[in-house]
Amino acid sequence: MFGPDSGLPFTSEWERAFTNRLSSQDFFEFESLKTPFNCPANTVQFVEEEAPDNVLFLLAGQVKLSMNSSVGKRLIFGIANPGETLGLASALSGSRYDFTAETVSPCTIVSLGRQDFVEFLMRYPSAFQSAARELSLDFARAGEHVRRLGLEVTATAKLARLLLEWCAIGQKTEGGTRIVCTLTHGEIGECIDSSRETVTRIFTDLKCRELLESRGSTLIISNRRALEIYAGVA
């Protein structure tokens, strides 16, 4: 979400729209509010039920978003990718975080103080419109997660739908769609409310059927349509 002279690349259409609507003076004011930083994998950015004091913009890396039950069960409901915001809804409403955000790979993040960010949005309606659009995208992603968990009956269908969601932001190549996945099988199980053993079994089956290939942290989906049909989500 930073302009061509900021030294940080654009990472999403929303970020381009955000800065393109600002004048040079407004953009300079926005730049003065941000604090960029790098952090290693497995770094917690904020914890659910914690009061928000900033809003984060992810420029590089991946961050897992999770919820925990009172008995210690964890559900990973999403992976944030470059160009997404973290904690935007809580920053705007002032309510406590609904989830925990933890890096799963080395990340570059920009932080803006919550109060400074809210006041900036109030002064610049065009920036507020971009924030509203991002909130609507967050809502759509949450809807997909509910669909995956609540409407898919089998673990196979849940995992297939998760892979198809990741395909939407994967790299398209002649050999298929490449997805960078740094989650363990256990963590993938937490995404679909299944066990690590179930995820491993389904992955093995997908590989045997030549629907999935894995190379370290890279997954390759050679035929998305075939995966949809196999999982019954077509």
Side-chain angles (χ1 to χ4, degrees):
M1 56 186 304
F2 306 101
D5 297 326
S6 67
L8 294 172
F10 287 121
T11 53
S12 72
E13 290 300 323
W14 174 72
E15 292 174 341
R16 292 186 181 92
F18 191 98
T19 53
N20 285 343
R21 295 189 183 118
L22 298 179
S23 68
S24 298
Q25 181 177 352
D26 300 340
F27 178 78
F28 180 78
E29 178 182 348
F30 181 79
E31 286 284 274
S32 69
L33 301 177
K34 67 182 181 66
T35 303
F37 62 94
N38 297 311
C39 60
N42 306 315
T43 302
V44 174
Q45 299 303 313
F46 53 78
V47 179
E48 59 185 302
E49 297 302 324
E50 184 178 64
D53 57 7
N54 55 25
V55 58
L56 304 178
F57 299 89
L58 181 60
L59 297 187
Q62 292 183 318
V63 175
K64 62 185 174 187
L65 313 175
S66 64
M67 293 179 173
N68 293 274
S69 71
S70 58
V71 296
K73 182 178 180 180
R74 184 173 70 168
L75 176 67
I76 298 176
F77 67 88
I79 301 295
N81 292 283
E84 296 185 36
T85 58
L86 305 173
L88 179 59
S90 294
L92 292 178
S93 66
S95 60
R96 295 181 182 274
Y97 292 119
D98 294 320
F99 55 87
T100 295
E102 180 182 0
T103 61
V104 294
S105 62
C107 291
T108 300
I109 297 174
V110 164
S111 173
L112 280 81
R114 173 184 176 271
Q115 192 59 42
D116 288 339
F117 180 67
V118 171
E119 291 176 357
F120 182 86
L121 294 182
M122 296 299 293
R123 290 195 299 273
Y124 302 105
S126 63
F128 205 107
Q129 291 171 11
S130 294
R133 180 175 181 273
E134 179 67 8
L135 283 176
S136 69
L137 292 176
D138 285 345
F139 181 79
R141 287 189 285 263
E144 283 300 313
H145 179 73
V146 171
R147 180 186 301 276
R148 182 191 341 122
L149 283 182
L151 299 183
E152 300 300 342
V153 177
T154 67
T156 297
K158 291 178 182 179
L159 180 54
R161 186 175 287 278
L162 178 64
L163 292 173
L164 291 169
E165 289 176 16
W166 289 348
C167 280
I169 58 172
Q171 179 187 9
K172 307 300 186 296
T173 68
E174 292 183 359
T177 303
R178 293 177 177 268
I179 305 167
V180 176
C181 176
T182 54
L183 298 181
T184 65
H185 283 193
E187 290 173 322
I188 293 175
E190 292 176 357
C191 293
I192 63 173
D193 196 24
S194 290
S195 67
R196 175 187 60 79
E197 292 79 10
T198 297
V199 171
T200 299
R201 175 180 55 79
I202 297 173
F203 266 58
T204 299
D205 188 46
L206 292 174
K207 291 175 183 177
C208 290
R209 295 173 183 269
E210 298 184 348
L211 297 176
L212 174 70
E213 181 181 352
S214 62
R215 301 175 184 172
S217 62
T218 299
L219 303 178
I220 302 174
I221 308 297
S222 58
N223 190 328
R224 291 181 58 181
R225 179 61 177 171
L227 180 60
E228 291 172 351
I229 295 174
Y230 167 74
V233 298

